[in-house]
Amino acid sequence: MIDWPNVTAPGPREPGLKPEELQKSQCVLGFIPVIYYSVLLCVGVPVNVLTAVALSRLASRTKKALYYYLLAVTGSDILSQLFIIFVGFLLETAVFHRDVPSLLLHSVSAAEFAANHASIWSTVPLTVDRYVALCHPLLHRQISYPARARRIIAVVLALSLVSGVPFFWWSDMWRNSHPPTGRDTVLIWTHVTIIYFLPCSIFLVLNSLIIRTLRVRQRQQRSHEESGPKSAPPGRLGKTTAMLLAITSVFSVLWAPRTVVVIYHLYVSSVHRDWRVHLAYDLSNMLAMLNTAVNFFLYCFVSKPFRGAVRDVMLLRGGPLYPRRALRQHQAPNHASISSLYSGNHKRWQGEPTPLSTRRATEPS
């Protein structure tokens, strides 16, 4: 990042290394990464806090598992910004120049990877939930509800925390002058598998199945429109599905460069030796961290209820816990999915009591 030596302290020359292998690459970006990460932190943390508050209101108001999954993604993004950007990039590197106790460096490294894994893998249950909602709506009504969503989120966060422990031994790619060791190879491949190849494979398969299902329904709808009255479920791309596709696509694009650079560092030329790899690594890290701050804008662009919740938070308006209009137009029963809007059950909903009417019926007069 900054044009400082790539080693924390000088040490004896390592045997078996040629002079050119000990040459340290220079960071050509200067102070640009510090400015970038400072702006990203000052914008990203308040925006994610606002997102978390708005999603909390929507979750408590609608009782939909969707908002709990989105809330978990937002909370994990906040942790990533605090541990990776604030502690890792700004404090350790820019302020202290990595001149801190080795135990602290490695402990922070493990925390950074755990937060990173939580941020990425919190999106996987959301993708699975949307797949089940669109492709198996009857099953979704039975298995998707807030209590189960909270348990799934707890398991994902616990596994993310455990998965960060091996990266206590992660090598500093900017400053290590020796070639990657066998342990570095194992950790790097474990890292790129956990943060990119495995989640992207899940996103690709499930999103492809979702799109295929929607296309089949669209063809069915056209055939029913030609043969008689429309009775097939609509095949249009709903806003929730569009938001999911946008989140996973942005993640895949922003994290791809860093994955390529890390593998290139492992097999071709190290970050420590080649200034071009050093530059590519810095830029790819900047792109990857941008992913922690863009979801708010995607939610605002796609979701009208989210925009309304954000407006209420910014105007310090509490709003009713069970707004009559929201329940009548947007809310399904507790264990029902959003895809129920497409299954022809609207008449059945109208006959069911809403939480507000139930509460009024039980209140003493």
Side-chain angles (χ1 to χ4, degrees):
M1 292 172 57
I2 312 301
D3 192 9
W4 290 310
N6 283 353
V7 291
T8 303
R13 177 171 172 172
E14 298 180 29
L17 293 180
K18 299 178 181 180
E20 62 268 22
E21 291 177 329
L22 294 173
Q23 183 180 2
K24 294 180 281 291
S25 63
Q26 300 296 322
C27 179
V28 299
L29 292 179
F31 281 90
I32 293 178
V34 175
I35 298 173
Y36 171 83
Y37 287 123
S38 300
V39 173
L40 186 61
L41 190 69
C42 293
V43 173
V45 171
V47 160
N48 279 329
V49 170
L50 177 61
T51 303
V53 176
L55 289 174
S56 298
R57 291 193 174 191
L58 289 173
S60 63
R61 184 182 306 168
T62 64
K63 304 300 181 184
K64 291 178 181 176
L66 167 69
Y67 293 117
Y68 289 91
Y69 291 126
L70 293 177
L71 190 58
V73 173
T74 304
S76 301
D77 285 342
I78 294 175
L79 291 178
S80 296
Q81 290 172 336
L82 293 179
F83 281 107
I84 300 177
I85 299 178
F86 179 66
V87 178
F89 285 117
L90 295 180
L91 283 184
E92 285 188 350
T93 304
V95 176
F96 296 109
H97 307 179
R98 310 284 289 187
D99 190 14
V100 295
S102 177
L103 179 61
L104 179 60
L105 281 177
H106 290 289
S107 299
V108 171
S109 176
E112 290 173 357
F113 280 96
N116 188 14
H117 297 168
S119 177
I120 293 171
W121 279 89
S122 295
T123 313
V124 174
L126 171 65
T127 308
V128 174
D129 181 80
R130 291 299 87 206
Y131 162 75
V132 177
L134 289 173
C135 300
H136 307 281
L138 296 178
L139 176 63
H140 186 264
R141 296 189 195 106
Q142 298 175 3
I143 67 173
S144 181
Y145 49 90
R148 183 186 293 269
R150 289 192 292 267
R151 289 196 296 268
I152 293 175
I153 292 168
V155 171
V156 170
L157 295 180
L159 292 177
S160 300
L161 180 62
V162 173
S163 68
V165 174
F167 295 93
F168 178 88
W169 293 275
W170 179 266
S171 297
D172 189 345
M173 296 172 60
W174 279 300
R175 290 164 175 79
N176 282 345
S177 58
H178 60 76
T181 63
R183 184 183 65 188
D184 295 335
T185 302
V186 172
L187 287 177
I188 286 175
W189 274 109
T190 303
H191 172 59
V192 297
T193 300
I194 291 176
I195 62 101
Y196 195 76
F197 291 128
L198 189 54
C200 281
S201 299
I202 296 174
F203 296 153
L204 178 62
V205 171
L206 295 184
N207 288 341
S208 300
L209 292 174
I210 289 174
I211 294 174
R212 178 179 174 275
T213 300
L214 293 177
R215 288 179 176 176
V216 169
R217 289 180 181 177
Q218 191 173 21
R219 288 196 296 268
Q220 292 176 350
Q221 181 181 359
R222 289 174 182 171
S223 63
H224 277 270
E225 287 176 349
E226 293 175 357
S227 60
K230 181 172 68 173
S231 58
R236 64 184 177 86
L237 184 65
K239 291 185 177 181
T240 303
T241 306
M243 181 169 61
L244 170 65
L245 296 178
I247 293 173
T248 54
S249 299
V250 168
F251 162 77
S252 302
V253 171
L254 293 181
W255 276 89
R258 186 180 187 278
T259 305
V260 173
V261 172
V262 169
I263 297 176
Y264 188 90
H265 159 84
L266 181 61
Y267 291 108
V268 182
S269 181
S270 68
V271 173
H272 180 85
R273 291 172 50 194
D274 193 336
W275 69 268
R276 290 165 296 188
V277 183
H278 194 152
L279 173 63
Y281 190 57
D282 284 342
L283 292 176
S284 63
N285 280 328
M286 294 164 67
L287 277 178
M289 289 298 100
L290 181 62
N291 187 65
T292 62
V294 298
N295 287 342
F296 169 81
F297 304 100
L298 295 177
Y299 301 160
C300 286
F301 181 74
V302 172
S303 175
K304 184 176 180 181
F306 179 78
R307 291 195 298 269
V310 169
R311 183 170 56 250
D312 290 341
V313 172
M314 297 185 68
L315 296 178
L316 302 179
R317 295 191 308 203
L321 182 60
Y322 299 104
R324 183 190 300 268
R325 182 179 178 184
L327 282 168
R328 184 168 59 248
Q329 294 184 356
H330 300 293
Q331 184 180 353
N334 265 3
H335 295 347
S337 66
I338 294 179
S339 62
S340 301
L341 294 173
Y342 307 138
S343 61
N345 291 331
H346 182 65
K347 293 181 179 180
R348 183 172 59 85
W349 294 354
Q350 291 177 347
E352 296 179 354
T354 64
L356 182 60
S357 61
T358 302
R359 184 180 63 176
R360 287 181 176 175
T362 57
E363 288 179 352
S365 57

